[in-house]
Amino acid sequence: MRFRSGLRELYAVIVAALLASGSATSFAWSDHASLLWPLVRQMPVLLEPAVEVEELEVFLQAEADGLETFLAAEEARARTALDSYAPRPEALAFSATAKDLRRAFLEAIRVNPTLSYTLYRQEMVEDEPIPAPLSWDSLSFLSTGISHETVTYRPLAVGDLVAPAYVIASASDEPDFGMDIGLFEDNGTEFGARYGFGVQPFGNPNLEYGSQAPFHMGFYHLDLLTRTLQPDLLRTYPAWRVSLFGALSEFAFATEHDYWGWRFAGWALHYIGDLTQPYHAQPLPGIDTLDALWTVVRGRTDEAVQLVSNRHGVIESYQHQRLVTELKHKAWRAPLLLAVGASTPVPVWGEETLIEGLSRESVDGGTALDAALEAHIPERFVSDVTFEWTGSDEELTLLSAIRQEKGDGAIMAMDAILIEQMARFSRYARAWVNKTLAQHKQTGSH
Ligand SMILES: [Zn+2]
């Protein structure tokens, strides 16, 4: 009995960990567009300004009939192909005769319908700044946060010709603009009450980004015990997002709406990027079930939770700061940017790639990442249970604190482990881009 109650407490720990880390966790790598840029900027085929910008409504109006059939087939496929899928309520099925096609489409794919989904692209480091950029407010209802503060967006006009690299890179950050916020029935939104995802399984709904966590984290390799005792952890949706948005991209290319083909492919790529972060592919990296039980027995559950949450936050801050610095200097030959841009052989994207390839590798990489954080980051940030990383002032001085307390060798060691994560990102992102390119060509529209 004691063992059983210990187990119950263990799962409470896991859920508490996810609740506690809700603010940091839902981001993973921030500014996905800049992260993808070193990769797509060196693919000449993606740099030709060959894609004609088109409003969502125009795409929907032109293809409404086909889209109705296509989305119905996609829903049927998701129900049989995906574990723990939350079926789309019949009332939300896309109808070609809907009065408001745009609203009908956004609800049928169950994204937040209050965003503008406007025509835009992110300004990249090589761009000359333009006089009238787009305000963040016109793209998102969220506050900017540290990672989006320094990003500039520019409007695109209908009929503009734009390079696919800009469209797919920009769109790969879009799911962090609020697309997956407020979708659960207890999130206090009118649409969340109708979307069929039930009560939010984990993540803190009171935090601004909290409710997107189950869409941006995917626990596809939980052990049997965890699956059995904590089935709520199975209710994660990045695999569904990738398959739906990937299929929509294919549909858009096939019907010669290339702009939306690239943009939907970018949406899918966001979740691929998130799952390359080990703290997004499993609840407690670096802590196996026995460790966790031992922690429970010693009554140190809250402490373990705090450490996992802090380490999760630290690696994301470290990654963002290192990446931004190298990008600012256009240091394309720096090891970190080379890791993203590397043209090493990559897998061919298939049905199993997301879960059996990418997500499994991220789970496997979690232990070494956690150990590196413990070894090379000042103890206060990653091993002090009384410290709260999220919201602390230490984020901006993280790199100098590491240098001061742990020496330059620690930066080198952290870069090395970060490069492993970035190489994984690069491999799977490139596989996705290759698949998208192949589909684009296959349609023969150009
Ligand atoms: Zn995300």
Side-chain angles (χ1 to χ4, degrees), residues 25-30 32 172-177 180 209 212-213 215-217 270-271 273-275 280:
T25 56
S26 8
F27 251 135
W29 313 126
S30 34
H32 285 242
S172 79
D173 202 36
E174 218 178 333
D176 274 345
F177 292 5
D180 296 318
Y209 282 92
Q212 77 175 24
F215 291 87
H216 295 231
M217 304 171 94
H270 179 88
Y271 305 87
D274 275 351
L275 284 184
H280 278 243

Side-chain angles (χ1 to χ4, degrees), residues 120-324:
Y120 82 103
R121 78 164 174 87
Q122 185 162 325
E123 204 164 271
M124 297 303 171
V125 63
E126 286 129 324
D127 283 323
E128 289 298 325
I130 58 160
L134 259 187
S135 72
W136 170 254
D137 290 354
S138 59
L139 293 167
S140 175
F141 51 80
L142 296 161
S143 57
T144 50
I146 289 176
S147 57
H148 287 93
E149 244 162 33
T150 52
V151 175
T152 308
Y153 304 93
R154 48 174 69 180
L156 293 176
V158 171
D160 279 357
L161 289 178
V162 64
Y166 292 118
V167 182
I168 193 170
S170 303
S172 79
D173 202 36
E174 218 178 333
D176 274 345
F177 292 5
M179 266 169 75
D180 296 318
I181 288 179
L183 310 190
F184 293 101
E185 69 181 44
D186 54 339
N187 287 163
T189 61
E190 166 281 317
F191 47 90
R194 296 183 286 114
Y195 271 10
F197 292 115
V199 169
Q200 185 173 334
F202 61 86
N204 187 344
N206 296 322
L207 297 168
E208 194 182 30
Y209 282 92
S211 68
Q212 77 175 24
F215 291 87
H216 295 231
M217 304 171 94
F219 307 135
Y220 299 114
H221 302 287
L222 297 172
D223 58 56
L224 183 64
L225 206 60
T226 311
R227 297 170 70 92
T228 312
L229 293 178
Q230 195 60 45
D232 267 355
L233 290 179
L234 296 168
R235 293 204 284 130
T236 61
Y237 304 105
W240 169 58
R241 282 293 193 223
V242 171
S243 96
L244 176 63
F245 294 159
L248 271 170
S249 159
E250 236 175 285
F251 176 88
F253 282 133
T255 51
E256 301 190 17
H257 299 273
D258 287 6
Y259 173 78
W260 285 98
W262 289 107
R263 187 152 168 183
F264 290 139
W267 288 5
L269 189 49
H270 179 88
Y271 305 87
I272 294 169
D274 275 351
L275 284 184
T276 63
Q277 215 285 52
Y279 286 89
H280 278 243
Q282 61 184 320
L284 300 171
I287 301 182
D288 64 24
T289 309
L290 277 180
D291 282 348
L293 270 177
W294 180 230
T295 305
V296 171
V297 169
R298 289 182 303 159
R300 296 196 156 167
T301 52
D302 292 349
E303 301 180 5
V305 166
Q306 188 64 53
L307 296 188
V308 168
S309 171
N310 287 354
R311 289 174 191 188
H312 185 157
V314 167
I315 186 59
E316 291 179 359
S317 296
Y318 186 88
Q319 184 266 357
H320 183 239
Q321 290 179 42
R322 292 292 290 117
L323 188 81
V324 163

